[in-house]
Amino acid sequence: MANDTVILTTLNAAWSEPGSVLDVFLESFRAGESTRELLDHLVIVSLDSAAHERCGQVHRHCFVLVAGGVNFSGQKNFMTDGYLKMMWSRINFLGQVLEKGFSFIFTDTDIVWFRNPLPHFYLDGDFLIACYHFTGDPDDLSNAPNGGFAYVRSNSETIEFYRFWYAAREKHPGLHDQDVLNSIKNDSFVAELGVKIKFLSTELFGGLCEPSRNMSRVCTMHANCCIGLSRKISDLDAMLRDWRRFMALPQDDKHSVSSWTVPRNCSVQTSETGAIEQRGSYLSA
């Protein structure tokens, strides 16, 4: 974009097949309100050759990420060795993007986009991240971060923050990036860096863990708290249908619509711990 911001998502073969998550993700940009043009700024980062080939068939901007010969093509079950390597490879890559001077919006591919989120980002934040359950205070560090959606400004603070985050994996073996983030967000070093962390409201950036209740304002919805690829695809499709029905309503009737028909096939755990535990299972069948 004009302000050197790029939209990034990561993709492996399991999610790139026709009729899978990628197709719903891209269709949401075409169906959303002022989101189609954002596709010009979306780079799909492929984690394997099959995903890269599929990306080239459906999108203009594709980048293949090679991570030390690790095979990321298959479904990666939550907290397996392959899953952890994939998550940390992503954090390392995003840090390199910041070092090159690009700010970014990172989005998981199991998120549907309904409106342009840029006007809703806090101007005084460096690291803005979605959360599973929003306390109502964007500065409250007790919010549970959801790494599936984040906006990060490229500056010296965020560059050092990502280096610190990536290095912290060594002190927290066996944990994924999100649990480590939840641990280091209160670290004194992060405070000394001066990086301004903000949490995004679920009213605008909702998910199955805590859906947005305002379809007149919602920007994105995430199929989090959902185990099983087929269930995830089904509920993502349902979200798109809900959106299209909402947009077809007369303007005067839209204010009365506040609910979704999801979750349908996805099981939602209401506890914060349960929600966090299920996030990574998005690549399991």
Side-chain angles (χ1 to χ4, degrees):
M1 303 179 192
N3 62 353
D4 287 334
T5 298
V6 63
I7 304 170
L8 299 169
T9 193
T10 50
L11 180 71
N12 76 346
W15 277 23
S16 65
E17 296 176 359
S20 192
V21 174
L22 176 62
D23 288 350
V24 185
F25 175 70
L26 293 176
E27 180 59 24
S28 74
F29 281 85
R30 294 187 282 266
E33 191 173 77
S34 301
T35 51
R36 180 182 290 266
E37 56 267 31
L38 295 178
L39 287 171
D40 292 337
H41 309 292
L42 169 68
V43 177
I44 297 176
V45 181
S46 307
L47 300 176
D48 56 73
S49 58
H52 192 58
E53 181 179 356
R54 170 70 172 148
C55 178
Q57 296 169 0
V58 297
H59 190 61
R60 291 174 55 197
H61 308 304
C62 307
F63 178 85
V64 63
L65 178 63
V66 178
V70 180
N71 181 10
F72 292 141
S73 60
Q75 297 179 28
K76 299 294 182 288
N77 293 325
F78 186 50
M79 295 307 294
T80 62
D81 184 62
Y83 169 81
L84 292 173
K85 287 180 179 178
M86 184 163 59
M87 292 298 100
W88 285 114
S89 174
R90 185 175 78 180
I91 295 301
N92 187 43
F93 170 74
L94 293 175
Q96 293 177 42
V97 172
L98 294 173
E99 290 175 8
K100 292 182 181 296
F102 293 100
S103 302
F104 63 78
I105 302 171
F106 177 81
T107 172
D108 274 347
T109 320
D110 62 336
I111 291 178
V112 281
W113 285 52
F114 299 125
R115 291 184 176 89
N116 186 345
L118 282 165
H120 302 284
F121 291 153
Y122 300 106
L123 297 178
D124 61 340
D126 299 312
F127 178 83
L128 284 58
I129 190 166
C131 49
Y132 287 103
H133 305 289
F134 185 56
T135 67
D137 181 358
D139 297 309
D140 184 1
L141 290 177
S142 69
N143 282 299
N146 175 2
F149 188 92
Y151 171 61
V152 188
R153 290 187 171 91
S154 176
N155 56 38
S156 58
E157 290 83 4
T158 57
I159 290 170
E160 285 302 317
F161 176 66
Y162 265 76
R163 288 173 180 166
F164 179 66
W165 186 3
Y166 185 67
R169 78 194 189 284
E170 302 290 348
K171 295 182 179 179
H172 302 275
L175 295 185
H176 62 73
D177 60 309
Q178 192 167 262
D179 277 346
V180 173
L181 172 62
N182 211 33
S183 176
I184 67 171
K185 66 186 181 184
N186 292 299
D187 194 283
S188 60
F189 180 74
V190 174
E192 291 171 9
L193 278 178
V195 61
K196 297 177 182 176
I197 299 173
K198 293 276 191 177
F199 294 90
L200 300 168
S201 168
T202 51
E203 179 186 32
L204 296 172
F205 305 94
L208 295 182
C209 296
E210 188 167 281
S212 169
R213 298 301 179 189
N214 191 340
M215 293 187 74
S216 295
R217 296 196 67 207
V218 63
C219 294
T220 63
M221 278 282 286
H222 191 178
N224 51 17
C225 289
C226 184
I227 295 177
L229 183 57
S230 61
R231 290 174 179 169
K232 189 179 290 286
I233 295 168
S234 177
D235 274 22
L236 286 168
D237 279 331
M239 289 182 208
L240 267 184
R241 289 194 297 271
D242 290 344
W243 171 256
R244 288 192 168 104
R245 279 193 292 267
F246 172 77
M247 293 301 291
L249 290 172
Q251 192 63 37
D252 292 342
D253 294 340
K254 289 183 177 179
H255 72 278
S256 62
V257 179
S258 60
S259 62
W260 308 83
T261 62
V262 293
R264 287 183 177 180
N265 297 289
C266 290
S267 60
V268 175
Q269 295 190 16
T270 56
S271 71
E272 179 179 297
T273 302
I276 292 174
E277 286 176 350
Q278 290 202 47
R279 179 203 167 236
S281 64
Y282 70 90
L283 285 177
S284 62

